[in-house]
Amino acid sequence: MAVNASPFFRRMMIWCVLTTIICFFFTTMDTTKWFDNSQLRGQIIYEFASWRTIPMNALEKMNEYLKLTDFKDFISLANITTSVINTRKDISYVRVGDEIRVDIVLYNGRGERFTVGGDMLRVWLREHSLRASVSGHVIDHDNGSYTGIVKVLWVGNPELMISIANTKEHIGIYLNNVHTYGLITFLKAGFERNKLTESTLCSVVPNIPDVKEYCNFTAQNFNMSFFCGKPINLSCSDWSVYERTDIHSCYKKHQSLFLQHKNFKKRVSTLNVYSGFNFIKGSHVSCHDLNSTVTWQTNNPTGYFYKGQWRSLVCRPSLRWRYESYLKCLKNRPVLMTGDSTTRNWFSPLAKLLNLHILVGNREIKDKAWQKFSEAVDNDTAISMYWTPHEIPFYSHEQNKNNFRSVASRIDELPGNKSAIVVLHWYGHLTRTTPEQYREHVQSAKKAVVRLLRRSPHSSIFIKGPHSYTYGIFLEPFDYLSRIFEQILYEEFKDLQHKVYYIDQWDATVGNENVHIHPTFPSFYQIMINFVFSFICKI
């Protein structure tokens, strides 16, 4: 027995020693870097994962797109009818929680297979009878083939949908235009002195066809570049008004591409979904208890619609849409919303809920649309709300040039030692210019956010992300531009993500097939406002 036992005990001793060494190694080393969300998830997993809400490879693809300066004809472009689409599994019996994978191989109108990637595709599920929808994500394999992935989240018979949102030619030609001329659609400056008036075209770079001399209005645009043609009989100092135009910087052929060849969708099939429960419930984590860093590192989908209600998979809204709740939440907390008409459409219903009158100067606003700095204040309840448009380029009807102020200057006017609430947004107007211009706007406001947090450290900052709209009059390749903008926001606010919330709007508006620049889904604005303020209010 002793002879046989000796090797056994030797092996046991060796195992114990090795185990002790390994345990000692793991207990003494700094393992916090392994489990720190901001380091591991944010830098390693998030930045390279295709399923993340905010992509991190859009900018690196820009040089490839810029090589595309023209296209042969419309038949040479990706065609959803001739392309091959197959699901990987039997969809006649699907369970709630399953993941549907769709293989897509793109062909052009001549039936020729593509061997390179770059086209922007969408995948989603919809079921109109249940007012239900969810968006998925698409992986580009860079060889003309793609994989669409979408999660099944409710029992029923949802339709599986695919679309070619933007062709690579649309993206490339568009980017070349804005990099050359600064804007896809020019703006206009009006000059006036002693009843003499003139107008000239404007852009963010001094390169406008048939314009030889320029007024440099960069300083007046808060150090964000802006140039207008120099008037013939007046001087640059006579600049008085500013407005949009319908004059585009692209050729007619390219304009036809931008307007006509996009957002081609196709119903792949109808699923039969079974399960022991009707739908995936939303997150059990209260938004109020969620760290803002998590909002920058979400997966697709961030939520879905079911029976007309948005069910967030990020967190559970804890705020009720009622006067008493918001009165308690916003008392003595100045609210500043910046951006465009989509944040104005958050501002208006919230002001209405709180029985506030919206004023521009001394005039009460009762219109549905306005594009000037406005305020809604009630000193008796200590509620103060403000809305402001972002800087030029901003496409509006004729306005006095002084109506536009920098977002940074508005933030700087917020008082110190107050728990201010700031909602930032840049998207629709800025899709008509270059990514470099977009970054300038973000960087300017970010510096003001840092200053605000120094004097009012308990302030709450939100960034409203891009949303989807497919209305046919727009020239911009939104699916690609939205990814660029999201990446820029992530990069610029990387060191403030523990202080700033990112509010994804893309998943909700792709799933419900939003068409208009102002989402028309019932109660959409109320749903999203409530979601946002649930992060800071718990009533």
Side-chain angles (χ1 to χ4, degrees), residues 437-499:
Q437 281 292 314
Y438 184 87
R439 194 182 290 271
E440 278 190 24
H441 285 256
V442 174
Q443 288 175 336
S444 171
K446 192 255 183 101
K447 293 174 183 176
V449 167
V450 171
R451 294 191 291 268
L452 172 65
L453 291 173
R454 284 175 183 160
R455 67 181 185 273
S456 298
H458 299 296
S459 294
S460 300
I461 314 297
F462 297 91
I463 295 178
K464 174 182 175 290
H467 67 288
S468 167
Y469 52 100
T470 58
Y471 197 49
I473 66 170
F474 293 101
L475 305 176
E476 299 81 3
F478 293 120
D479 282 54
Y480 179 65
L481 296 177
S482 66
R483 285 161 173 76
I484 286 182
F485 291 178
E486 288 173 326
Q487 182 175 348
I488 291 172
L489 290 169
Y490 185 91
E491 291 173 352
E492 294 300 328
F493 282 91
K494 194 168 186 177
D495 59 335
L496 284 181
Q497 289 177 7
H498 63 295
K499 291 283 190 180

Side-chain angles (χ1 to χ4, degrees), residues 228-283:
C228 298
K230 188 175 181 180
I232 298 173
N233 300 308
L234 297 172
S235 67
C236 294
S237 60
D238 295 320
W239 179 32
S240 59
V241 296
Y242 158 92
E243 67 179 308
R244 67 190 184 187
T245 75
D246 294 322
I247 303 172
H248 306 302
S249 62
C250 55
Y251 297 121
K252 291 291 184 181
K253 173 187 175 182
H254 295 160
Q255 186 175 332
S256 296
L257 167 66
F258 300 160
L259 289 172
Q260 298 173 20
H261 206 86
K262 60 185 178 182
N263 300 315
F264 293 114
K265 64 183 179 182
K266 180 178 182 178
R267 186 181 68 84
V268 178
S269 56
T270 300
L271 281 61
N272 293 310
V273 184
Y274 304 88
S275 182
F277 45 93
N278 288 336
F279 56 90
I280 295 289
K281 293 184 178 180
S283 174

Side-chain angles (χ1 to χ4, degrees), residues 263-454:
N263 300 315
F264 293 114
K265 64 183 179 182
K266 180 178 182 178
R267 186 181 68 84
V268 178
S269 56
T270 300
L271 281 61
N272 293 310
V273 184
Y274 304 88
S275 182
F277 45 93
N278 288 336
F279 56 90
I280 295 289
K281 293 184 178 180
S283 174
H284 294 290
V285 178
S286 171
C287 295
H288 189 265
D289 297 329
L290 199 70
N291 187 285
S292 62
T293 305
V294 177
T295 64
W296 292 90
Q297 298 175 350
T298 56
N299 298 332
N300 168 270
T302 56
Y304 69 103
F305 281 102
Y306 182 72
K307 294 187 177 180
Q309 295 297 314
W310 175 248
R311 300 180 184 274
S312 171
L313 300 175
V314 177
C315 59
R316 175 176 51 81
S318 55
L319 185 63
R320 296 181 182 179
W321 183 257
R322 60 183 186 182
Y323 173 81
E324 294 79 11
S325 298
Y326 276 88
L327 184 65
K328 183 176 180 181
C329 171
L330 303 183
K331 188 174 184 178
N332 290 314
R333 299 196 68 179
V335 178
L336 172 65
M337 296 187 184
T338 76
D340 55 29
S341 54
T342 62
T343 50
R344 187 189 65 211
N345 288 346
W346 286 14
F347 180 84
S348 296
L350 186 53
K352 183 178 180 180
L353 176 69
L354 292 167
N355 299 321
L356 301 176
H357 297 287
I358 299 174
L359 300 178
V360 171
N362 295 321
R363 183 173 69 90
E364 182 177 355
I365 291 292
K366 295 185 179 181
D367 304 328
K368 290 184 177 180
W370 73 93
Q371 296 169 324
K372 301 178 182 179
F373 175 76
S374 53
E375 55 187 335
V377 177
D378 186 339
N379 293 324
D380 293 335
T381 57
I383 299 293
S384 55
M385 294 173 48
Y386 310 93
W387 177 84
T388 187
H390 61 64
E391 309 86 351
I392 295 170
F394 193 97
Y395 290 78
S396 68
H397 298 291
E398 182 179 288
Q399 291 201 46
N400 186 295
K401 66 174 184 176
N402 296 321
N403 286 339
F404 289 91
R405 289 260 307 275
S406 71
V407 170
S409 70
R410 297 294 187 188
I411 296 173
D412 285 337
E413 288 177 349
L414 292 170
N417 299 317
K418 290 275 190 179
S419 298
I421 300 168
V422 179
V423 178
L424 302 170
H425 178 63
W426 306 269
Y427 186 49
H429 298 262
L430 292 171
T431 59
R432 298 174 177 180
T433 187
T434 66
E436 292 78 14
Q437 281 292 314
Y438 184 87
R439 194 182 290 271
E440 278 190 24
H441 285 256
V442 174
Q443 288 175 336
S444 171
K446 192 255 183 101
K447 293 174 183 176
V449 167
V450 171
R451 294 191 291 268
L452 172 65
L453 291 173
R454 284 175 183 160

Side-chain angles (χ1 to χ4, degrees), residues 4 16 48 96 98 108 114 183 403 422 477:
N4 293 332
C16 290
F48 297 99
V96 171
D98 283 354
N108 65 20
F114 282 7
L183 295 172
N403 286 339
V422 179

